[in-house]
Amino acid sequence: MIAVSLTLDAGGNFRSVEASGHAGAGVRGEDIVCSAVTALLRTTLTALSGELPGMEAESAGRGALSFRAPVAGEGASPFLRYAGLFLREGLSAIAREYPGSVDLTVVGGEEPARKQVILED
């Protein structure tokens, strides 16, 4: 199981995330759940690193990644707000679809009003 802890401030802005483990939903290196979680985390880290100097990231190898945002400065809020929303919604969707593979804990933040999206074939 992948354990993910996402920390947001009171405004829903991204502060940090820690993820470790393997989903066990497929062959190691080809697991769709691990790939989805990794893609969300690495995309967020890359995007924030390009906009906010001082991002701190750590990895103990495959199956472990954590990163935290620097103290928010002038102009950082929109990036951190979107990063918090992107990770909360993306990781929540994966955890709902694969409940035995992802254990998500969200610390802080606010619960936004949700829109129901209906996808048609």
Side-chain angles (χ1 to χ4, degrees):
M1 178 171 291
I2 302 172
V4 182
S5 178
L6 173 63
T7 302
L8 307 173
D9 69 14
N13 297 300
F14 172 81
R15 295 306 311 140
S16 67
V17 67
E18 295 180 27
S20 64
H22 291 282
V27 177
R28 188 175 175 149
E30 299 177 13
D31 188 317
I32 192 169
V33 178
C34 283
S35 295
V37 170
T38 299
L40 286 172
L41 294 175
R42 287 186 181 176
T43 299
T44 303
L45 175 59
T46 301
L48 288 177
S49 293
E51 298 295 333
L52 304 173
M55 287 293 297
E56 298 176 21
E58 295 177 20
S59 177
R62 290 180 73 119
L65 177 63
S66 66
F67 55 96
R68 63 196 42 73
V71 175
E74 183 85 20
S77 184
F79 296 106
L80 296 175
R81 176 73 176 133
Y82 187 76
L85 177 65
F86 180 78
L87 286 176
R88 185 185 63 228
E89 295 302 318
L91 293 168
S92 292
I94 296 168
R96 281 191 305 274
E97 192 164 340
Y98 298 94
S101 298
V102 178
D103 179 27
L104 173 63
T105 302
V106 179
V107 178
E110 57 188 32
E111 191 61 33
R114 296 186 185 256
K115 279 200 238 179
Q116 182 177 8
V117 177
I118 299 171
L119 301 175
E120 297 180 16
D121 291 338

